[in-house]
Amino acid sequence: MTTIGTRLAGLAVAGALAWAGQAQAQQAPADTVAAIRARGQLICGVSVNAPGFALPDSRGEFRGLDVDTCRAVAAAILGDATRVRFVPNTAVQRFPMLQSGEVDMLARNTTWTLARESQLGLAFAGINFYDGQGFMVRRSSGVTSARQLDGATVCVQPGTTTELNLADYFRTNRMRFTPVVIESVEEIRAAFVAGRCDAYTNDISSLASFRATRTNDAAEFVLLPEVISKEPLGPVVRKGDWRFFDIVRWSLFAQIAAEELGVTSANVEEMARTSTNPDVQRLLGRTAELGRSMGVDNDWALRIIRQVGNYGEMYERNITPIGIPRGVNNLWTNGGLHYAPPIR
């Protein structure tokens, strides 16, 4: 009886371990880096229509800060920043598309929140733009403060943090409002212009981006002074594939560190040859084996800076033209919030 019982117990344990192994294999995250290399292309989810962040130019090529964030990752993994397929998606579509594997990553004005990481199986790899929610009104309304919006109709997109922030702000200030909820960014902006709502609320970057597209009547639209939330925006990946997470995170940090060290797309080759600064040598792969520890070449950051530029170059190219001063998006050494951990 003891021998039989022992054998049965052993078989039960073996079976349990085999089942656990199968379950773990079924749940094991996909190797995103291997998939990107096999297809020769990074697939990146971006906003549908966001000047300064993601918008096709006259030749159909995507431009913007989020676009450059994706291109930096492609440069790190594939050696070529142009090998990206951009997939525009709405606020409602973005998370299911990432969860299902339709896109490898998101870089589309997405706010980092606890719930999105703890409930959706996603991980934010960093912050490429510090933002906040605001309100826009027509100048002819005479409104100069959000506190004057009691009883107003407000255009807002569903599936975003802006809905919650809007409700919280009006409830906190004991004001009433009527939401006009429209998913499409083009339709919600058209509704605001047509007068279907008294105010339009979104991230300040998005509001400024919208105003920048108004070539004939931009002066008619006014950003109110109140900033009612913190909106740290950044690239998002699926949880569990930590090698890909590391590459996305440190690609952004490399651009921030490069600006701090004075390394630009114009001087990166010379800096790689002549700089004796240990931080520059490590960043550009001249010492240490930091790239290989992430599964990429040691000159991964050099390729990013040469092909895409440092963070300051990205900002000046994409965000400055739509009228948003750097402010909190400056380096920490210039009074801003951007700060890269040591690359060592």
Side-chain angles (χ1 to χ4, degrees):
M1 289 292 294
T2 301
T3 302
I4 294 174
T6 301
R7 288 177 179 174
L8 289 174
L11 289 171
V13 170
L17 290 173
W19 179 86
Q22 290 173 356
Q24 185 176 11
Q26 291 172 355
Q27 296 174 1
D31 187 341
T32 308
V33 175
I36 292 167
R37 285 176 173 153
R39 78 170 83 95
Q41 192 178 53
L42 170 74
I43 303 175
C44 194
V46 295
S47 296
V48 174
N49 181 10
F53 292 86
L55 186 72
D57 63 15
S58 59
R59 297 181 299 174
E61 295 183 11
F62 274 87
R63 305 289 181 191
L65 186 77
D66 287 337
V67 168
D68 283 347
T69 298
C70 300
R71 293 196 193 282
V73 175
I77 296 174
L78 299 171
D80 186 347
T82 68
R83 290 165 68 177
V84 185
R85 178 159 65 89
F86 295 101
V87 180
N89 50 75
T90 67
V92 173
Q93 295 169 334
R94 57 184 167 173
F95 296 132
M97 290 181 72
L98 179 58
Q99 291 166 326
S100 68
E102 287 183 70
V103 296
D104 299 316
M105 61 180 283
L106 291 176
R108 48 113 42 241
N109 304 86
T110 299
T111 302
W112 188 346
T113 72
L114 184 154
R116 287 172 174 175
E117 285 205 327
S118 65
Q119 298 173 9
L120 301 182
L122 306 176
F124 284 76
I127 298 169
N128 70 348
F129 192 85
Y130 288 93
D131 210 345
Q133 185 172 333
F135 295 93
M136 180 172 281
V137 297
R138 285 177 293 279
R139 188 178 300 277
S140 57
S141 71
V143 173
T144 58
S145 168
R147 296 297 294 273
Q148 296 173 274
L149 293 175
D150 189 16
T153 54
V154 183
C155 282
V156 62
Q157 283 183 281
T160 66
T161 55
T162 55
E163 274 190 299
L164 299 175
N165 296 335
L166 176 64
D168 288 349
Y169 179 78
F170 275 79
R171 182 168 54 248
T172 299
N173 289 286
R174 298 184 179 181
M175 301 191 306
R176 298 169 297 106
F177 77 100
T178 301
V180 178
V181 182
I182 303 173
E183 179 180 349
S184 165
V185 66
E186 290 87 358
E187 290 179 15
I188 198 169
R189 290 172 174 176
F192 173 57
V193 171
R196 286 181 55 191
C197 44
D198 302 310
Y200 171 27
T201 187
N202 209 326
D203 292 348
I204 290 172
S205 62
S206 180
L207 297 175
S209 175
F210 156 70
R211 186 169 60 182
T213 66
R214 308 296 300 181
T215 55
N216 298 321
D217 59 357
E220 170 60 13
F221 301 102
V222 178
L223 272 168
L224 299 182
E226 288 84 2
V227 180
I228 68 171
S229 71
K230 294 182 294 185
E231 305 293 333
L233 312 179
V236 195
V237 300
R238 291 177 291 276
K239 272 186 178 177
D241 191 347
W242 299 117
R243 179 168 69 140
F244 184 53
F245 172 88
D246 285 345
I247 294 171
V248 175
R249 163 170 280 187
W250 286 97
S251 292
L252 175 58
F253 283 153
Q255 292 181 290
I256 295 171
E259 183 182 8
E260 184 177 344
L261 292 167
V263 183
T264 70
S265 58
N267 69 16
V268 64
E269 300 289 353
E270 181 183 356
M271 293 284 276
R273 291 193 307 270
T274 65
S275 177
T276 58
N277 184 326
D279 289 327
V280 172
Q281 291 180 337
R282 282 189 289 266
L283 174 68
L284 302 183
R286 294 303 175 256
T287 60
E289 296 286 316
L290 299 178
R292 288 177 186 162
S293 69
M294 293 194 299
V296 295
D297 295 334
N298 283 334
D299 65 351
W300 62 284
L302 187 151
R303 295 198 301 259
I304 291 172
I305 300 160
R306 180 176 59 213
Q307 298 178 39
V308 184
N310 65 32
Y311 182 82
E313 291 179 274
M314 285 204 307
Y315 198 99
E316 290 302 315
R317 181 167 60 242
N318 299 301
I319 306 303
T320 297
I322 66 172
I324 303 177
R326 281 200 68 172
V328 294
N329 284 291
N330 242 310
L331 295 177
W332 67 285
T333 50
N334 294 327
L337 298 177
H338 282 297
Y339 185 110
I343 297 179
R344 62 173 62 214

